[in-house]
Amino acid sequence: MGRGRGGSRTQRRHFRQNRENVWKRTKPDPSSENNGAAADPSWQPFATQSPSFEEYYKEQGIVAPEEWDLFMEVLRKPLPAAFRINSSSQFCSDIRTQLESDFMISLQAEVSEGGEPQPIRPLPWYPENLAWQSNFSRMQLRKNQTLERFHEFLKLENEIGNITRQEAVSMVPPLFLDVRPEHFILDMCAAPGSKTFQLLEIIHRSTKPGLLPDGLVVANDLDVQRCNLLIHQTKRMCTANLIVTNHEAQHFPGCRSHKKSSSASEIGTELEPPISQLLFDRVLCDVPCSGDGTLRKAPDIWRKWHAGNGNGLHALQVQIAMRGLSLLKVGGRMVYSTCSMNPVENEAVISEILRKCGGSVELIDVSSELPQLVRRPGLKKWKVRDKGRWLVSSKDVGKYRTNAIVPGMFPSGRSLAVSMHHSGSMDQEEKQENGEYGNVEDALQSSEDAVISASEVDEEVSSFPLERCMRIVPHDQNGGAFFIAVLHKHSRLPANQGTTCPEGDLCSTTDELIVKLPTQDTEDTNGLLSNLADDTDETTTEAASEAELIEGEQEGATLEPDTTITSEENVSEANQVPGDVEADPKKTRGKRKQLQGKWKGVDPVVFFKDEAVINAIKTFYGIDESFPFNGHLVTRNSDTNHVKRIYYISKPVKDVLELNFSVGEQLKITSIGLKMFERQTASVASCAPCAFRISSEGLPLILPYITKQILYASPVDFKHILQYKSIKFSDFVDAEFGVKASGLMLGCCVLVLSKGGKTSSDPIQVDESTIAIGCWKGRNSLSVMVTALDCQELLERLLMRIEPGNGNLESKDEAANGKGDVDMKDVEKNGDEESTTAATEG
């Protein structure tokens, strides 16, 4: 929940191994004369070809024959880097102006001959020039010294949270969700978190300082370790409107409360809580997939590609999509997406869920939305490839493949395996069962002959308007490949679709839908399927690439697991029961008590109700009574005396948490709330009136309500404290300011950049341009309590706005609040004795 840059060596190695890897080392040539000499090793690119890939997609007609060569040419090129500006950040307009007026011009000289006309450019289809694409590959950005300034700019802004590195096509699905600030949104397969961050931006964008939106985002992922990455990504947003959960998406809890009457309200409606069920206005269903749309950034997929990978994921994708629709409110919208080009994972899944939902769900036409986005209509017909054979309908599936190749994979979706031919002759399967073929080999051979004859007849054509789906291919706008379908829920799903989910909620899925994934009957020659089954978003390679600037490109910048999570073996929710089996006391001796909650390895979420601590905080900082404290503070430790961090949650998150408690904690929550207060170390707490300091993440929210421990600094003194990290009271340029600082109580205080000569006695008026940071008031000096990166970012923004000669700031577009954990090295180096320990993490 707080910003963390640590992490184990194993984690760093894991993410590096999954990053884009275009080059590999070749073995030395024994015949070479210089083999034994000290020389640079030779390198060669990965093989960017796959005969089976080409055969498969040529047959499926993904692109027209005349486009094939161009399609393959672009697919073999490195993927351009892309990033998105955080629209809710105070730096938003600054960064956009810097890109338009500075980098677009200065980088023009670096464009290679015959390349793109612009080195960087805004993506024309993304609103308000908030998404950008660089025509330099990630390798060029890392290796070319002339691009160093631009590269450092990307790294810094990404770390601060002002931009997010993300593949361009990955930005598309959230834009079709039509999100509004009051919406309840479920991101079913959320890791690594770029789309979740995008959704949070949208609901926060129009929110005024000190206020929170009425909506929330629930971001879920199956894998605990990927939840860590998701938390790391989204914590840069500093939001109180996010819940991160760890569940199988196809079994996501509905949290239906049976204590309310049938007239009980649903969550997100205008009726007052208590709420009775967790339903969502919008659902993003970005399912696990084979990921061949990411070939440009993950070329290793070329050698791993196999048609069986997509076949093996089809059933899981249908299950997840159906569960998403069952959790969607009537009138809501769901977006289904994959980073695969395979129609078995795309159009076939959409066809299947439309069949199961009847007329309750509509595939809507969004061709008029984002008109500058180049997209292609979905396919109406396709084939299924299995064991080296082409199948055009379910009647062509051999007896021993019916568990792996199901009717829903075909355009019609009809099961024809045991039907009679129109001519009255016996079906191929019946002949096998009656022993008309001597053995299995003869039966398979006859089946192959039947497929050959079947290919001569007309292929099946779907009756659904699949042309309303959209497929994005690489050569249309120099990006990756993606598939997107937008669904609208008109009414409750058919009653005969109902089955009981593990948590007792009514899932709108059929009994035949909840099936085991194909195992032995599924082709998986390279072992990729087993990895993909646990993957989400745009496969593991997507997680790695989006984490590049967080972990890999800056030495020493690492991923740190959230303190509320420990690694554990994923357990299906079907096997979880309220009041999970208690741990063996002998094995848990000496461990923290909060690890013995309902969910193994995850600290429980509890409301913080210690009135003595809350009142001490309110008194010390003079927090106005209008700030809603009651019921909005949570912690991860039920022992109040050992609480280190107190988190703040918004009203909608509070409602969901209360519902979760009422239904036996069905939600496995790995992260919740905004870190608001942190306990000081014992030595500092003993001499400071208040044991808790305000965290940098929570400062922007609570700032309008603080009436004590506030100082206004001139631009010069504000800049100096950012530069030197700690300044003695007598050394400030404004002597009066130094006197006022020395008069504050020992402990945490807030330093606000003054505007127009305001003094510390003026009432604080917070707006979008307010700049404030947390500081520690010691006995002899004032020390900053934000990270070195945040200080660097603020300095750069301030230096561009301080008018030469008078030290005042220009009025337009001020910089943002610093966010993040304290950089202890700087405080210890520059602070006095009491401020050295003041900024210690609780």
Side-chain angles (χ1 to χ4, degrees):
M1 298 180 197
R3 298 183 65 178
R5 298 185 179 87
S8 67
R9 184 174 301 174
T10 302
Q11 283 180 302
R12 296 196 296 271
R13 183 169 61 251
H14 168 76
F15 285 107
R16 281 196 295 269
Q17 288 172 347
N18 285 287
R19 290 171 59 188
E20 177 193 16
N21 182 13
V22 180
W23 303 97
K24 65 178 180 179
R25 191 187 303 268
T26 59
K27 294 181 179 180
D29 183 2
S31 62
S32 174
E33 295 180 0
N34 297 326
N35 186 43
D40 292 336
S42 58
W43 298 79
Q44 72 177 19
F46 271 118
T48 54
Q49 59 184 0
S50 169
S52 57
F53 173 90
E54 295 194 39
E55 178 192 6
Y56 185 82
Y57 283 117
K58 277 184 178 179
E59 186 70 22
Q60 300 288 22
I62 295 297
V63 298
E66 59 271 19
E67 296 180 74
W68 183 260
D69 290 342
L70 177 60
F71 168 70
M72 292 300 297
E73 179 186 348
V74 174
L75 203 56
R76 292 185 174 109
K77 292 180 179 179
L79 183 71
F83 58 91
R84 191 186 68 256
I85 304 172
N86 181 352
S87 59
S88 64
S89 168
Q90 289 178 307
F91 285 118
C92 178
S93 59
D94 285 346
I95 293 172
R96 182 170 50 197
T97 300
Q98 190 173 359
L99 289 167
E100 294 170 343
S101 305
D102 181 359
F103 287 114
M104 282 188 71
I105 299 172
S106 62
L107 295 177
Q108 187 65 45
E110 293 302 318
V111 178
S112 59
E113 295 183 4
E116 294 285 338
Q118 292 178 304
I120 59 170
R121 62 183 178 88
L123 295 170
W125 46 266
Y126 202 98
E128 302 180 38
N129 281 6
L130 290 174
W132 289 69
Q133 180 166 296
S134 165
N135 291 311
F136 303 108
S137 69
R138 290 182 174 87
M139 181 171 292
Q140 286 176 303
L141 288 175
R142 291 194 296 265
K143 302 298 183 182
N144 191 327
Q145 292 184 352
T146 60
L147 301 177
E148 183 177 357
R149 188 170 72 93
F150 181 56
H151 186 213
E152 291 300 319
F153 163 82
L154 292 179
K155 287 199 298 183
L156 175 60
E157 301 300 342
N158 183 85
E159 182 69 18
I160 296 296
N162 294 322
I163 69 168
T164 297
R165 288 285 297 271
Q166 184 179 5
E167 185 179 353
V169 290
S170 174
M171 305 175 192
V172 176
L175 297 180
F176 284 105
L177 269 178
D178 187 28
V179 171
R180 295 192 291 272
E182 68 273 15
H183 280 161
F184 284 64
I185 308 162
L186 172 63
D187 191 350
M188 300 189 75
C189 307
S194 56
K195 296 184 185 68
T196 305
F197 198 101
Q198 199 172 352
L199 296 170
L200 289 168
E201 287 178 29
I202 298 172
I203 68 170
H204 275 278
R205 187 173 181 188
S206 60
T207 305
K208 295 180 180 180
L211 299 177
L212 292 171
D214 295 326
L216 62 77
V217 176
V218 175
N220 177 72
D221 202 82
L222 165 69
D223 184 76
V224 173
Q225 295 303 321
R226 285 173 63 77
C227 278
N228 288 335
L229 176 58
L230 169 61
I231 294 166
H232 183 92
Q233 283 277 65
T234 54
K235 72 177 61 171
R236 300 174 305 134
M237 186 66 194
C238 299
T239 176
N241 295 66
L242 172 68
I243 302 174
V244 178
T245 61
N246 174 217
H247 292 284
E248 292 178 317
Q250 69 272 29
H251 296 146
F252 189 87
C255 296
R256 179 188 290 272
S257 174
H258 300 289
K259 297 180 181 179
K260 291 284 291 180
S261 65
S262 58
S263 62
S265 62
E266 292 179 347
I267 188 167
T269 65
E270 295 181 357
L271 300 177
E272 289 295 320
I275 53 180
S276 63
Q277 187 177 3
L278 182 57
L279 295 177
F280 297 90
D281 302 279
R282 298 290 186 265
V283 174
L284 178 58
C285 187
D286 190 57
V287 298
C289 66
S290 59
D292 56 23
T294 66
L295 277 165
R296 297 186 67 182
K297 69 178 180 185
D300 196 41
I301 294 177
W302 283 105
R303 66 178 179 85
K304 296 179 179 179
W305 191 92
H306 199 280
N309 298 331
N311 294 344
L313 287 168
H314 171 86
L316 174 63
Q317 292 161 341
V318 173
Q319 291 180 46
I320 294 175
M322 287 299 296
R323 186 56 181 151
L325 289 170
S326 72
L327 294 168
L328 184 66
K329 290 180 183 179
V330 172
R333 177 181 286 200
M334 184 178 91
V335 168
Y336 175 90
S337 63
T338 75
C339 56
S340 168
M341 295 179 279
N342 193 341
V344 174
E345 302 178 70
N346 298 325
E347 286 89 348
V349 172
I350 297 301
S351 295
E352 182 68 0
I353 62 178
L354 290 174
R355 275 189 290 270
K356 292 181 178 298
C357 295
S360 61
V361 173
E362 178 191 4
L363 177 63
I364 60 177
D365 183 3
V366 291
S367 58
S368 61
E369 301 179 24
L370 302 184
Q372 291 184 285
L373 176 68
V374 182
R375 85 288 301 265
R376 297 171 182 239
L379 303 176
K380 297 277 286 187
K381 60 180 182 179
W382 60 89
K383 301 176 184 178
V384 177
R385 182 80 168 175
D386 180 56
K387 293 290 186 181
R389 299 177 291 125
W390 285 106
L391 311 176
V392 296
S393 72
S394 61
K395 69 182 180 182
D396 301 323
V397 181
K399 175 181 179 180
Y400 301 99
R401 301 296 297 161
T402 54
N403 288 333
I405 308 299
V406 296
M409 293 181 179
F410 297 93
S412 73
R414 294 192 299 269
S415 177
L416 305 174
V418 295
S419 64
M420 295 291 289
H421 292 299
H422 294 295
S423 61
S425 61
M426 195 176 298
D427 194 290
Q428 194 77 22
E429 299 291 342
E430 294 178 275
K431 293 181 180 181
Q432 293 178 20
E433 291 177 2
N434 293 335
E436 296 189 20
Y437 300 119
N439 52 44
V440 175
E441 292 182 1
D442 293 339
L444 292 176
Q445 180 59 49
S446 178
S447 179
E448 291 178 4
D449 295 338
V451 172
I452 294 174
S453 62
S455 64
E456 298 172 0
V457 302
D458 293 337
E459 300 176 20
E460 288 187 0
V461 179
S462 176
S463 60
F464 295 108
L466 298 180
E467 67 278 2
R468 296 178 183 177
C469 302
M470 63 190 94
R471 177 176 273 101
I472 300 173
V473 292
H475 62 287
D476 280 341
Q477 47 209 346
N478 192 23
F482 231 80
F483 175 87
I484 301 158
V486 184
L487 299 146
H488 178 82
K489 187 174 180 179
H490 287 289
S491 60
R492 292 177 64 89
L493 302 187
N496 61 359
Q497 300 283 1
T499 187
T500 301
C501 278
E503 74 284 348
D505 183 37
L506 184 67
C507 299
S508 296
T509 50
T510 62
D511 290 332
E512 63 180 355
L513 179 64
I514 307 298
V515 295
K516 292 182 179 180
L517 287 177
T519 52
Q520 295 178 349
D521 292 330
T522 303
E523 290 187 37
D524 186 22
T525 57
N526 49 44
L528 180 63
L529 182 57
S530 60
N531 292 329
L532 290 172
D534 291 333
D535 207 2
T536 50
D537 202 85
E538 295 138 276
T539 73
T540 303
T541 56
E542 173 72 6
S545 66
E546 291 187 2
E548 275 189 280
L549 290 180
I550 300 174
E551 184 273 334
E553 296 185 352
Q554 179 175 328
E555 185 177 357
T558 56
L559 291 173
E560 179 182 25
D562 190 86
T563 56
T564 64
I565 306 170
T566 59
S567 300
E568 64 172 337
E569 182 180 355
N570 250 312
V571 181
S572 171
E573 189 181 352
N575 298 326
Q576 298 288 355
V577 294
D580 206 5
V581 179
E582 293 186 3
D584 185 347
K586 295 181 180 179
K587 296 181 180 180
T588 59
R589 186 174 300 165
K591 294 185 178 180
R592 295 178 299 171
K593 292 182 180 180
Q594 67 267 28
L595 294 181
Q596 300 176 11
K598 154 115 189 247
W599 297 103
K600 178 184 175 183
V602 177
D603 293 346
V605 180
V606 294
F607 282 107
F608 185 78
K609 300 179 179 180
D610 190 322
E611 292 297 329
V613 172
I614 294 174
N615 289 333
I617 292 174
K618 293 167 77 172
T619 301
F620 182 75
Y621 297 106
I623 299 174
D624 191 273
E625 290 296 328
S626 62
F627 185 74
F629 263 110
N630 186 28
H632 288 267
L633 299 179
V634 298
T635 183
R636 305 306 292 256
N637 192 339
S638 57
D639 185 353
T640 305
N641 295 326
H642 293 87
V643 167
K644 295 182 179 180
R645 301 174 184 87
I646 302 174
Y647 301 90
Y648 190 87
I649 57 175
S650 64
K651 171 65 165 57
V653 172
K654 173 178 175 286
D655 292 343
V656 172
L657 189 57
E658 289 175 340
L659 173 64
N660 190 45
F661 288 147
S662 71
V663 297
E665 297 185 60
Q666 293 175 10
L667 289 176
K668 182 180 179 182
I669 298 174
T670 60
S671 178
I672 189 170
L674 173 67
K675 185 169 65 174
M676 182 66 73
F677 303 108
E678 296 179 273
R679 186 185 292 272
Q680 305 294 350
T681 59
S683 59
V684 173
S686 62
C687 57
C690 183
F692 286 84
R693 66 181 177 89
I694 301 174
S695 75
S696 293
E697 291 95 324
L699 179 58
L701 178 62
I702 202 170
L703 180 61
Y705 304 91
I706 298 174
T707 60
K708 297 179 181 178
Q709 294 293 101
I710 290 180
L711 291 168
Y712 281 93
S714 68
V716 173
D717 280 329
F718 197 92
K719 183 184 73 171
H720 285 170
I721 198 167
L722 290 174
Q723 287 176 323
Y724 303 115
K725 306 303 187 296
S726 182
I727 298 179
K728 291 183 177 181
F729 300 135
S730 59
D731 292 339
F732 283 105
V733 175
D734 183 350
E736 184 182 357
F737 171 80
V739 172
K740 291 177 179 178
S742 65
L744 293 180
M745 289 187 287
L746 183 69
C748 177
C749 65
V750 178
L751 187 64
V752 181
L753 179 63
S754 67
K755 302 176 186 178
K758 285 181 179 289
T759 68
S760 59
S761 60
D762 294 329
I764 185 169
Q765 298 294 328
V766 177
D767 56 32
E768 291 79 4
S769 64
T770 301
I771 306 170
I773 59 174
C775 291
W776 181 262
K777 187 269 177 182
R779 290 188 175 88
N780 302 306
S781 65
L782 197 66
S783 303
V784 295
M785 300 177 71
V786 295
T787 66
L789 279 176
D790 288 310
C791 288
Q792 178 186 345
E793 171 73 351
L794 277 172
L795 276 171
E796 291 182 1
R797 298 294 168 190
L798 292 178
L799 288 174
M800 291 190 293
R801 287 167 175 73
I802 295 180
E803 295 179 0
N806 59 17
N808 292 325
L809 293 184
E810 297 176 6
S811 60
K812 80 169 195 177
D813 296 331
E814 306 283 3
N817 291 301
K819 304 183 184 76
D821 295 332
V822 171
D823 190 321
M824 277 304 301
K825 292 181 180 178
D826 290 329
V827 175
E828 292 174 0
K829 187 181 299 182
N830 300 290
D832 57 9
E833 225 177 305
E834 54 274 19
S835 64
T836 297
T837 55
T840 305
E841 284 277 340

